[in-house]
Amino acid sequence: MQLVFIVSQPRSGSTLLQRLLSNTSVVSTTPESWLLLPFLGFLKSGLNTCAYNSDLALSAVHEFISNGIGKPSFRDKLAHFIEDVYQDSSSIGSKYFIDKTPRYYEVVDLIYEFFPTSKIILLKRSPIEVVSSMRSTWNIKNPFDLYPYRRDLLEAPLLIEEFKLSTEGSGRVYTQTYESLVENPMKVIGEIYAWLGLKEDLVNVDIVQHTSVFGKFGDPYSKEKDILNSKPLRQYRWEEETKHWRNFYRGYAHYLNSKTGLEYDLFGLELGKTKTFDDYLDFCELEIPDSKGFLSKNFFRSFWLKAKYQYRKGQNS
């Protein structure tokens, strides 16, 4: 069975792409599994938060593997186990299995290593549009409420671009944009089918009744009939944004350009460092303890902002 992985930032159209690609009997899929994050994530330092010391555990596991079956054999046995799980989760007669989990950007390099015959689709969307979609979908009112998604915003674009560059020419990685997908789904899916070796005449963009991807995780609005409509942060909406969010977007685009070497643009407006985005970056450096409710989280944020304001006031006096 051919394994296909879809990797992206959240809110980048991965559920739509999954629905379009699996709209045929030879392709099986499920709602976001997150399966590989615990199985492969434990091999990467800093990804797991555990009651025990995960870095010490990682060192012990590596030592165990080195003194025992060795890395190649361990990799093969773990990969075979996961492949069996995918096989048993597939429909009879399926030739392809799609695992769409956006946060596989954390382990996409390990996926590439552990499953050498797999295919990986990188779905990219303007990170500025990702933030806009997060805000509208999850009713986010201010930048600090994006704290839980800090790796999705700050790390994902960098890791995806780095992986893309490192695998160019391999034939195993296909990169596409959300914007192109919604503009011409027939063309994009036809290209991906050809890359996978599927017949182009299987392409079917009538996905209203296609429900195999729905679950607890994924796009909560992907059942809408107008799913193929793109609703980006265009100029008219930009003018309706508060100054607070405009400054966040300007700072975020500047940050991404400096980190990735890409050129994200905001309607030709000048980009640069902004206090709003710099405050968000500083806030993301904090390890906020788990809280029991909304009030305690806001209290922590208010206390931190007040302390930072007093520090700045002291520096300028």
Side-chain angles (χ1 to χ4, degrees), residues 145 283 288-304:
D145 290 334
F283 194 60
I288 300 180
D290 290 337
S291 60
K292 298 297 182 181
F294 177 78
L295 289 177
S296 54
K297 289 181 180 178
N298 276 274
F299 176 81
F300 186 93
R301 182 174 63 208
S302 298
F303 178 82
W304 178 81

Side-chain angles (χ1 to χ4, degrees), residues 39-109:
F39 279 105
L40 300 186
F42 85 97
L43 294 173
K44 267 192 167 183
S45 178
L47 286 191
N48 286 346
T49 301
C50 310
Y52 56 84
N53 188 308
S54 57
D55 285 335
L56 287 179
L58 177 60
S59 179
V61 168
H62 280 309
E63 183 179 35
F64 169 75
I65 295 171
S66 298
N67 294 337
I69 62 175
K71 183 178 178 180
S73 182
F74 172 81
R75 180 192 62 198
D76 292 343
K77 289 182 182 297
L78 180 57
H80 286 154
F81 163 72
I82 295 172
E83 286 169 349
D84 286 343
V85 172
Y86 284 134
Q87 182 71 56
D88 291 345
S89 302
S90 301
S91 303
I92 297 175
S94 293
K95 298 179 180 179
Y96 298 80
F97 186 89
I98 296 177
D99 186 345
K100 186 276 295 187
T101 301
R103 290 183 176 93
Y104 279 171
Y105 66 74
E106 298 279 15
V107 293
V108 66
D109 54 334

Side-chain angles (χ1 to χ4, degrees), residues 180-238:
S180 295
L181 178 64
V182 296
E183 181 179 346
N184 196 336
M186 285 288 292
K187 179 177 181 293
V188 170
I189 299 306
E191 291 175 354
I192 297 178
Y193 268 30
W195 174 66
L196 291 175
L198 281 165
K199 296 180 179 179
E200 189 172 342
D201 58 10
L202 293 175
V203 175
N204 180 6
V205 297
D206 181 14
I207 56 176
V208 175
Q209 303 302 322
H210 188 53
T211 60
S212 64
V213 305
F214 299 143
K216 183 177 180 180
F217 297 94
D219 188 347
Y221 300 113
S222 64
K223 297 180 184 180
E224 299 295 332
K225 292 185 178 180
D226 62 348
I227 190 172
L228 294 179
N229 291 341
S230 177
K231 299 178 181 179
L233 183 67
R234 297 303 182 203
Q235 181 73 49
Y236 75 95
R237 287 181 56 203
W238 171 261

Side-chain angles (χ1 to χ4, degrees), residues 1-62:
M1 173 171 287
Q2 175 74 69
L3 295 180
V4 181
F5 300 95
I6 299 177
V7 181
S8 68
Q9 283 183 279
R11 306 305 308 157
S12 294
S14 58
T15 301
L16 170 59
L17 178 60
Q18 178 190 25
R19 291 180 70 186
L20 289 167
L21 290 177
S22 60
N23 204 18
T24 171
S25 62
V26 298
V27 177
S28 284
T29 193
T30 63
E32 291 181 17
S33 74
W34 295 51
L35 179 67
L36 300 186
L37 288 174
F39 279 105
L40 300 186
F42 85 97
L43 294 173
K44 267 192 167 183
S45 178
L47 286 191
N48 286 346
T49 301
C50 310
Y52 56 84
N53 188 308
S54 57
D55 285 335
L56 287 179
L58 177 60
S59 179
V61 168
H62 280 309

Side-chain angles (χ1 to χ4, degrees), residues 94-256:
S94 293
K95 298 179 180 179
Y96 298 80
F97 186 89
I98 296 177
D99 186 345
K100 186 276 295 187
T101 301
R103 290 183 176 93
Y104 279 171
Y105 66 74
E106 298 279 15
V107 293
V108 66
D109 54 334
L110 291 175
I111 293 173
Y112 189 83
E113 173 189 346
F114 271 70
F115 306 99
T117 63
S118 67
K119 297 290 186 77
I120 299 172
I121 301 172
L122 303 178
L123 183 61
K124 303 179 73 174
R125 184 182 189 182
S126 165
I128 309 303
E129 301 287 358
V130 168
V131 175
S132 179
S133 181
M134 285 181 172
R135 288 181 57 200
S136 60
T137 304
W138 298 325
N139 196 30
I140 291 173
K141 298 301 184 184
N142 73 72
F144 294 106
D145 290 334
L146 291 170
Y147 175 85
Y149 313 106
R150 58 197 180 280
R151 290 193 63 83
D152 298 328
L153 300 181
L154 304 179
E155 299 297 332
L158 281 58
L159 293 172
I160 291 172
E161 182 64 18
E162 180 181 292
F163 177 76
K164 171 182 172 289
L165 294 175
S166 70
T167 56
E168 281 184 345
S170 69
R172 289 179 52 200
V173 180
Y174 178 96
T175 304
Q176 189 52 267
T177 66
Y178 167 79
E179 290 78 9
S180 295
L181 178 64
V182 296
E183 181 179 346
N184 196 336
M186 285 288 292
K187 179 177 181 293
V188 170
I189 299 306
E191 291 175 354
I192 297 178
Y193 268 30
W195 174 66
L196 291 175
L198 281 165
K199 296 180 179 179
E200 189 172 342
D201 58 10
L202 293 175
V203 175
N204 180 6
V205 297
D206 181 14
I207 56 176
V208 175
Q209 303 302 322
H210 188 53
T211 60
S212 64
V213 305
F214 299 143
K216 183 177 180 180
F217 297 94
D219 188 347
Y221 300 113
S222 64
K223 297 180 184 180
E224 299 295 332
K225 292 185 178 180
D226 62 348
I227 190 172
L228 294 179
N229 291 341
S230 177
K231 299 178 181 179
L233 183 67
R234 297 303 182 203
Q235 181 73 49
Y236 75 95
R237 287 181 56 203
W238 171 261
E239 293 171 352
E240 296 174 356
E241 292 287 342
T242 64
K243 181 180 179 181
H244 202 57
W245 279 107
R246 286 200 296 270
N247 285 337
F248 181 89
Y249 288 133
R250 288 177 55 239
Y252 184 37
H254 172 75
Y255 170 87
L256 292 173

